Amino acid sequence: MTIKRFEELVIWQLGREFSKEIYLLTKEDCWKEDFEFRSQIRNSSGSIPDNIAEGFEREGNNEFVQFLSISKGSCGECRTQLYRAFDRNYITKDKLDDLVRKSETLSVKIHNTMESTLKSYIQGLSLAIF
């Protein structure tokens, strides 16, 4: 199956959903005065789907993998910020565990897409399976 639009990628869809969840979380009152941290976690979560889309639109496997790597890095950055949010009492342990699990799942799926892309000669080949 060939993917023609980045919106069809499961990793982009999951990244978009994760970013939205982080945004809604950071609208809560406890985040209001911590502007820099709130902006940082929003930016790192938004970077996940943004880099997936940008890499896909470059229409080359090497560029796509490079941007997937950046996206995966942003996933890790956001995950460490979730621990910082927990340490600041902005989120509960249950919320931390839920979001860390989602972040880890997304990171694995991005990695699998990178591996699949490196093995394919045509951009988009087999990407929908992850």
Side-chain angles (χ1 to χ4, degrees), residues 27-97:
K27 286 181 71 172
E28 294 178 11
D29 286 339
C30 59
W31 295 81
K32 289 193 181 204
E33 292 186 24
D34 204 341
F35 305 110
E36 186 176 328
F37 183 53
R38 181 180 65 191
S39 178
Q40 187 177 19
I41 195 169
R42 283 179 177 178
N43 288 340
S44 65
S45 68
S47 178
I48 299 166
D50 291 352
N51 279 291
I52 293 167
E54 185 172 353
F56 186 86
E57 288 295 320
R58 289 183 180 245
E59 299 181 355
N61 283 5
N62 290 338
E63 292 87 354
F64 187 41
V65 169
Q66 177 183 356
F67 279 87
L68 288 175
S69 178
I70 295 167
S71 179
K72 189 174 183 302
S74 294
C75 205
E77 178 184 353
C78 189
R79 189 162 59 246
T80 197
Q81 291 164 353
L82 289 167
Y83 287 105
R84 289 170 55 205
F86 174 74
D87 293 344
R88 295 176 187 192
N89 296 314
Y90 293 173
I91 60 175
T92 65
K93 178 74 166 112
D94 287 342
K95 182 53 98 172
L96 171 68
D97 292 344

Side-chain angles (χ1 to χ4, degrees), residues 13-30:
Q13 295 166 7
L14 292 173
R16 178 181 174 209
E17 201 170 294
F18 183 74
S19 178
K20 180 180 178 182
E21 190 166 353
I22 295 295
Y23 175 78
L24 293 174
L25 176 73
T26 59
K27 286 181 71 172
E28 294 178 11
D29 286 339
C30 59

